[in-house]
Amino acid sequence: EAQVTQNPRYLITVTGKKLTVTCSQNMNHEYMSWYRQDPGLGLRQIYYSMNVEVTDKGDVPEGYKVSRKEKRNFPLILESPSPNQTSLYFCASSLSGDEQFFGPGTRLTVL
Amino acid sequence: GENVEQHPSTLSVQEGDSAVIKCTYSDSASNYFPWYKQELGKGPQLIIDIRSNVGEKKDQRIAVTLNKTAKHFSLHITETQPEDSAVYFCAARRNWGKLQFGAGTQVVVTP
């Protein structure tokens, strides 16, 4: 089944404890992206990648890192999480940059 | 950068009636305008999109119109059904990779 998977789906952590949210797609898509969703703010793009080893900042990249070492994987790294990074995170992939296929989301709480 | 405003934030309609959601964008160079539907607990899913060289597009009960001069685009859902209840997001894109979303509209279809 063609899909985007994210892990973990839920995570509660404490300020400053490094964490990684994994994202994987099995559709051989070139393009991958990370978004955060907050009430009243919609989806805001954190980082995107147009191919392996090619990444660029979205609208809210501060406090996040990404890497694209393989085509199928695009992990999101929070080196020192803070409470304002409590949010619902979505990974997405796209073949052409048009239709994006979203993962199921990761709900992160930073205490 | 691009800024997308979406109205209304909530919309309650009677089953069988029509629903209209409107979005405006700021960057006149934006050329791709997708609409996503997000059901509770899931990631957004593309329902329809339109490019800047087209004024209207229809797919069964949903349609999107684009007015480039006024920089606004709208989603129209006719003959609404309970399964249309969801959050709808508009988005605009200028450059390949950078997608700007609106804040979302919660649509509730009452029987």
Side-chain angles (χ1 to χ4, degrees), chain A residues 31 45 50 59 96-98, chain B residues 36 38 51 93 96-97 100:
Chain A
Y31 172 86
Q45 194 175 44
M50 289 186 269
D59 293 319
S96 65
D98 288 347
Chain B
Y36 284 82
Q38 185 180 28
R51 298 188 185 280
R93 186 194 73 196
W96 196 82
Q100 193 81 24

Side-chain angles (χ1 to χ4, degrees), chain B residues 68-84:
Chain B
K68 284 194 299 182
T69 304
K71 290 189 283 187
H72 67 69
F73 55 114
S74 301
L75 178 71
H76 305 253
I77 307 173
T78 58
E79 302 171 20
T80 53
Q81 301 167 6
E83 53 264 38
D84 294 329

